[in-house]
Amino acid sequence: MTQSDAELVVLAQAGDPAALGVLLARHEAGMRAVALSVLGYGPDAEDAVQDTMLVALRRIGEVRDPSAVGPWLRAIVRNNSRTALRRPRAVPVAEPEWFSRPADTPTPEEALDRAAMRDWVWHSIEQLSEPDRLVTLLRYFSDASSYEQIAAVCGVPVGTVRSRLNHARRALAGGLRTAATTSHADVAASNDTRWREGRDMIATAMGGDFERVVRESWWPDAQMIVPGGPRGDRDLAIKGMNSDLAAGVRQRLRNVAASGDVLIWETDLISPPDDPEHCPPAALWLQVLREGRVRQLTLFHPVPARA
């Protein structure tokens, strides 16, 4: 028996990605018709539809009349399309609202933890190519989220960042359309493991034994990159950490974002009391792994040190 829109909305609001996938597949033609009526044929119309699918993942809980979900979806497409007309740009106009990070709303991790659909999200991110996955994690799950910061971390032009994010968003929207026939394992255990490993390694480093962390978890030929600064090997990382410890700098793990072979740590840097502006307030450790060990670390400070 075919489920009604209202029944599917109730299931989707309870965290069932398959129900949302069925809803979006059912109303995709109507959404595309609205986009085409405003924007005409072309990639902008497709982008407006894809953005709406991602917005729906974030805002399905706001639907008060489940039987009217079709008009709700078409209204979002219409708004996205009108925005595209007013503000033409090289990438899709509306950032997916479920990824947004305004100060008065939950972080992406908190929002995802409240919905069973987080498993689909992380699975889909893991299916992206390494370059697309990297910019996605930085854009939506780290403090280095501006195009300029992502470009600096990745060592690529801003235009490349925009292109990769555009490609990643298309892939995520496409994945949501197929969620109805896909099931995924719970990611909570994997995330807990990454957090535990990060806390243990930072604690060991703060105890003065960062060299052991590096020798055990980095490949012998691993590289370290500091955008706008030095480039070296494992010894550079060990030397830098030991120098900070000698100066009285401490680090505290604040955030972990991981998918496949990309691992991001964000730490608070705590300068010594007698030199409160010794270092920037935060650091981002972008670690690219091979078989679970670090093959490249990029160390980036999202917020520059005060003059």
Side-chain angles (χ1 to χ4, degrees):
M1 179 178 178
T2 302
Q3 292 173 300
S4 68
D5 280 0
E7 292 171 326
L8 291 170
V9 168
V10 171
L11 290 172
Q13 290 177 333
D16 184 348
L20 184 57
V22 172
L23 270 175
L24 294 177
R26 179 178 295 175
H27 292 282
E28 183 174 0
M31 290 189 287
R32 181 167 288 103
V34 171
L36 291 173
S37 70
V38 179
L39 296 168
Y41 287 91
D44 286 345
E46 184 64 26
D47 289 341
V49 174
Q50 290 167 351
D51 279 345
T52 299
M53 291 182 175
L54 294 177
V55 170
L57 177 62
R58 170 67 161 80
R59 294 178 52 193
I60 191 66
E62 299 176 14
V63 176
R64 295 293 174 260
D65 182 0
S67 63
V69 68
W72 178 76
L73 288 168
R74 291 191 291 275
I76 297 175
V77 174
R78 187 174 294 107
N79 289 338
N80 283 347
S81 301
R82 289 172 176 170
T83 301
L85 287 177
R86 292 193 300 268
R87 298 173 53 196
R89 54 194 247 193
V91 295
V93 172
E95 295 292 354
E97 293 180 32
W98 67 283
F99 270 145
S100 63
R101 296 190 62 177
D104 58 348
T105 61
T107 65
E109 294 88 342
E110 291 168 341
L112 294 173
D113 281 343
R114 296 176 185 176
M117 285 181 285
R118 69 185 186 276
D119 299 330
W120 169 83
V121 173
W122 286 107
H123 175 83
S124 295
I125 291 175
E126 190 163 338
Q127 303 312 301
L128 299 173
S129 67
E130 182 182 297
D132 289 353
R133 186 165 65 251
L134 175 52
V135 297
T136 299
L137 290 177
L138 289 170
R139 175 67 171 171
Y140 302 117
F141 297 94
S142 85
D143 287 339
S145 58
S146 72
Y147 291 140
E148 292 75 16
Q149 288 175 319
I150 298 172
V153 174
C154 298
V156 299
V158 170
T160 300
V161 172
R162 293 180 183 274
S163 175
R164 290 178 181 175
L165 283 171
N166 186 23
H167 186 267
R169 291 170 63 193
R170 286 175 180 270
L172 290 172
L176 184 53
R177 284 193 289 259
T178 64
T181 59
T182 309
S183 61
H184 310 293
D186 192 341
V187 300
S190 176
N191 289 342
D192 287 346
T193 298
R194 291 297 194 185
W195 268 98
R196 184 170 58 254
E197 292 173 348
R199 283 193 294 263
D200 290 346
M201 290 182 182
I202 292 294
T204 300
M206 293 302 97
D209 202 3
F210 184 61
E211 181 173 359
R212 179 164 66 87
V213 170
V214 171
R215 303 299 180 194
E216 291 179 353
S217 60
W218 293 34
W219 287 98
D221 60 349
Q223 293 183 319
M224 178 178 178
I225 302 171
V226 180
R231 184 184 185 112
D233 54 15
R234 300 192 306 181
D235 290 338
L236 176 63
I238 295 169
K239 180 180 178 180
M241 177 64 76
N242 289 341
S243 176
D244 282 347
L245 290 174
V249 176
R250 311 294 295 175
Q251 294 198 45
R252 178 174 55 225
L253 187 65
R254 175 169 46 83
N255 180 44
V256 174
S259 178
D261 51 6
V262 176
L263 172 63
I264 295 174
W265 292 348
E266 291 185 288
T267 62
D268 293 322
L269 297 182
I270 306 168
S271 296
D274 58 346
D275 186 10
E277 299 184 359
H278 178 88
C279 61
L284 183 148
W285 302 47
L286 171 59
Q287 301 163 81
V288 180
L289 313 178
R290 185 177 75 242
E291 297 177 7
R293 303 182 70 184
V294 177
R295 65 176 175 85
Q296 179 176 295
L297 167 71
T298 301
L299 183 65
F300 182 72
H301 299 290
V303 180
R306 290 183 292 274

